[in-house]
Amino acid sequence: MSRVLIVGIDGGTFDLIGPWAQAGDLPNLARLMAEGAHGPLESTLPPVTSPAWPSFATGRNPGQHGVFDFIRASGGDFDLVNATSLRAKTLWQLLSEAGQRVGVMNLPVTYPPLPVNGFLISGMPAPIGGRFTYPTQLLERYHARLPAYRLGPSVQYKPGQEGAFIQDLLDLTECWAQYALRLLCDHADYEFLMFHFQSTDVMQHALWRFVDPAHPLYDAAAAARYGPALKQAYAIIDRFIGHALECVGDDTNVLVMSDHGFGPLHYVVNLNLLFLEHGLLSLKRGAWTRAKAALFSAGLTPAGVWRWIEHAGLQNYVWQVSRSTRNKVVSKFLSFNDVDWTRTRAYSIGHVGQVYINLRGRQPHGSVAPGADYAAARQQVLDALSTLRHPVSGKPLVERVIPAEEVVHGPYAAHGPDLYLIMDGYHTIAFPLFATDERIITRQIRGDSGCHQPYGILIAWGKDVRAGSPVEGARIYDLAPTVLHLLGQPVPDDMDGHVLEAMLTLDRPVIYEPSTSGGSRGRVADEQTLSAEETAQVEDRLRALGYLG
């Protein structure tokens, strides 16, 4: 029976991999594409890390597995998701139960690490200091030979400090590559192994303007200095793939994939300010809230204060202040705490552009009745969104508004947004919380110039892959059932994904098993809450990466 090795390149895109592979800079990826099959891989909607990797892992949409973002919104409040928030079994849980050995390294939304028949190293946003491996002592055997394992970046991106940011991410990528190779070679007889590289996503958010001459912020001199860094990161992963091919046997099928693609980011929209302007969101009537609203409109905003802090060169001192103190300061600005939820009909919370109707019986202080009133509120949102215009072209900024029922289904569908937005081909996204400054359309406060696109990469290579076959219509949901089929396992019949049979040479039929037989949602882990210290760390990491503003 075949073995499967998966290499996850977070945010991987053929827009970069294609030209670099063709030029000879990524020889191992070029080999896999030439000798195997490759094509675009459609992500979730929105194409965001937090729902995409769980959707890959379970073969199901968020309405079936329950994770829509790194946070779960409840009015203006939220809590953090973790590995135990998943309400469907992962690929490695199914394989473990079937007696096959598995190893997973660094995949997002896998903390705390749940027991498997093998090993698991949690990925972002695992807190530093937590028990992030299963078994607990997994990495001790490598301490003498390898540098200390790292969970994530140590340097936050700031314009003007690109050099330190780049070096930190390259070192992180090299660290992960070294551990991945040792773990792979030490467990090469395992039926399933997966190694994930988050650093490419982090770098592309910050450095896209240095590789995209069409970007409004492109500067040729800066591009010559900082642009090669992204290729260096991909080259480290490419070298790992080359060494990995030497470790694995001829019976191993290799999949290289990403959770979403990547492209330029131009603008950020403060959707809650738009909804406030159109009467969909209402503020409390007290004098203090009215004063804060006036000051916010005059520019006393988190973004405005942060720009002053950066101008004064004090940002490093700010990060040394405790999280609780920073939150107390931020709470003094206009925020969700100032919203009158009894008079609010719609609001936005979450990365990219997700809109929630303040539905009675679902939200804590829902004001919109189900039925006709709910439909009317959605139409009001559409009317408000239609007023958004691109700052340069003047064309409508919102390309599509997609109702939830067209995107998700399942027992947890009602936990997610009601509407999903696509703005200017994902070149514009929404601010994830209340608002960053006084303008409805603004720039990214962190200086990011890249953001996610809906199509990532899929490269397949090995004895069971049909060489030269194009990969067409592949979705991220399809990989879990495809891997199960490659490993001779039945596919749960409630998975949303389908086996990508056209790219395989296997002549055996796909075997499906009823979800009631244990291949589905049964016996998932009880949900656990992270400690206060862990929650604080995770929130800080998500803010540093831009997922919480």
Side-chain angles (χ1 to χ4, degrees), residues 82-335:
N82 61 61
T84 67
S85 304
L86 272 175
R87 298 293 87 201
K89 289 183 181 178
T90 61
L91 174 61
W92 36 96
Q93 287 174 309
L94 294 174
L95 292 172
S96 293
E97 291 176 0
Q100 297 193 322
R101 295 160 299 173
V102 302
V104 179
M105 188 192 99
N106 199 40
L107 202 68
V109 199
T110 54
Y111 182 88
L114 302 178
V116 293
N117 184 29
F119 68 85
L120 191 149
I121 304 174
S122 298
M124 71 168 291
I128 297 172
R131 294 184 176 180
F132 62 90
T133 70
Y134 178 87
T136 304
Q137 311 302 324
L138 171 69
L139 299 180
E140 286 189 358
R141 63 188 293 191
Y142 302 109
H143 288 171
R145 292 181 287 168
L146 298 176
Y149 186 86
R150 293 177 57 188
L151 283 168
S154 300
V155 179
Q156 185 179 354
Y157 175 72
K158 304 178 184 72
Q161 297 190 28
E162 288 86 355
F165 171 81
I166 287 170
Q167 190 58 56
D168 178 65
L169 266 297
L170 292 178
D171 290 346
L172 178 61
T173 310
E174 184 62 49
C175 174
W176 283 337
Q178 290 184 44
Y179 273 91
L181 186 59
R182 286 270 46 89
L183 288 161
L184 169 66
C185 292
D186 289 349
H187 303 86
D189 59 341
Y190 275 27
E191 285 80 8
F192 175 83
L193 290 168
M194 180 170 186
F195 303 95
H196 170 259
F197 293 86
Q198 181 73 30
S199 44
T200 43
D201 177 275
V202 179
M203 293 181 77
Q204 287 170 176
H205 275 292
L207 306 180
W208 193 265
R209 66 190 180 102
F210 300 123
V211 296
D212 182 1
H215 199 284
L217 300 179
Y218 181 79
D219 175 84
R225 184 175 183 182
Y226 302 121
L230 269 175
K231 188 193 297 183
Q232 288 177 268
Y234 275 91
I236 293 171
I237 300 169
D238 185 82
R239 286 197 295 274
F240 160 71
I241 292 172
H243 293 313
L245 294 178
E246 297 172 359
C247 276
V248 299
D250 294 337
D251 59 347
T252 301
N253 293 298
V254 179
L255 303 178
V256 181
M257 61 166 294
S258 64
D259 52 338
H260 50 72
F262 233 88
L265 172 64
H266 296 162
Y267 297 102
V268 172
V269 179
N270 289 309
L271 285 173
N272 291 305
L273 297 187
L274 177 75
F275 295 160
L276 182 63
E277 185 178 275
H278 285 263
L280 284 158
L281 185 144
S282 297
L283 300 177
K284 296 174 181 175
R285 294 186 169 113
W288 178 229
T289 295
R290 291 201 301 271
K292 287 204 289 186
L295 291 171
F296 201 94
S297 297
L300 188 60
T301 66
V305 171
W306 183 251
R307 282 191 288 266
W308 179 86
I309 289 171
E310 286 190 316
H311 182 73
L314 300 175
Q315 62 267 33
N316 290 331
Y317 296 100
V318 171
W319 289 115
Q320 295 174 17
V321 176
S322 71
R323 170 183 172 270
S324 60
T325 300
R326 295 201 309 269
N327 284 348
K328 288 178 182 177
V329 173
V330 171
S331 69
K332 303 303 180 185
F333 295 102
L334 195 69
S335 70

Side-chain angles (χ1 to χ4, degrees), residues 32 43 171 235 296 421 481 507:
L32 297 187
S43 183
D171 290 346
F296 201 94
L421 310 188
D507 57 3

Side-chain angles (χ1 to χ4, degrees), residues 348-502:
S348 175
I349 187 169
H351 200 55
V352 176
Q354 297 100 294
V355 177
Y356 290 80
I357 303 300
N358 192 27
L359 186 63
R360 189 179 303 161
R362 182 181 66 178
Q363 268 74 4
H365 303 286
S367 64
V368 177
D373 194 27
Y374 175 80
R378 295 218 305 195
Q379 185 57 52
Q380 286 177 276
V381 171
L382 297 178
D383 293 341
L385 294 171
S386 69
T387 67
L388 287 175
R389 291 291 183 271
H390 192 283
V392 176
S393 70
K395 296 179 179 179
L397 192 61
V398 178
E399 287 184 4
R400 291 183 65 195
V401 182
I402 305 171
E405 58 268 22
E406 296 182 13
V407 179
V408 298
H409 64 87
Y412 309 103
H415 296 187
D418 295 274
L419 300 169
Y420 296 82
L421 310 188
I422 300 176
M423 296 185 284
D424 190 28
Y426 289 107
H427 298 159
T428 297
I429 61 174
F431 185 73
L433 297 180
F434 181 78
T436 182
D437 63 21
E438 74 280 8
R439 295 166 292 185
I440 291 177
I441 301 176
T442 186
R443 294 285 188 183
Q444 225 281 2
I445 184 175
R446 298 171 62 251
D448 283 4
S449 57
C451 200
H452 304 173
Q453 287 288 313
Y455 288 91
I457 65 167
L458 175 59
I459 304 169
W461 176 93
K463 74 179 186 68
D464 297 319
V465 174
R466 195 180 306 279
S469 64
V471 175
E472 298 176 340
R475 305 169 303 163
I476 200 162
Y477 310 125
D478 297 331
L479 294 188
T482 299
V483 171
L484 288 171
H485 183 53
L486 281 168
L487 294 176
Q489 296 300 314
V491 176
D493 63 2
D494 65 343
M495 281 188 170
D496 294 307
H498 304 283
V499 176
L500 297 172
E501 294 183 81

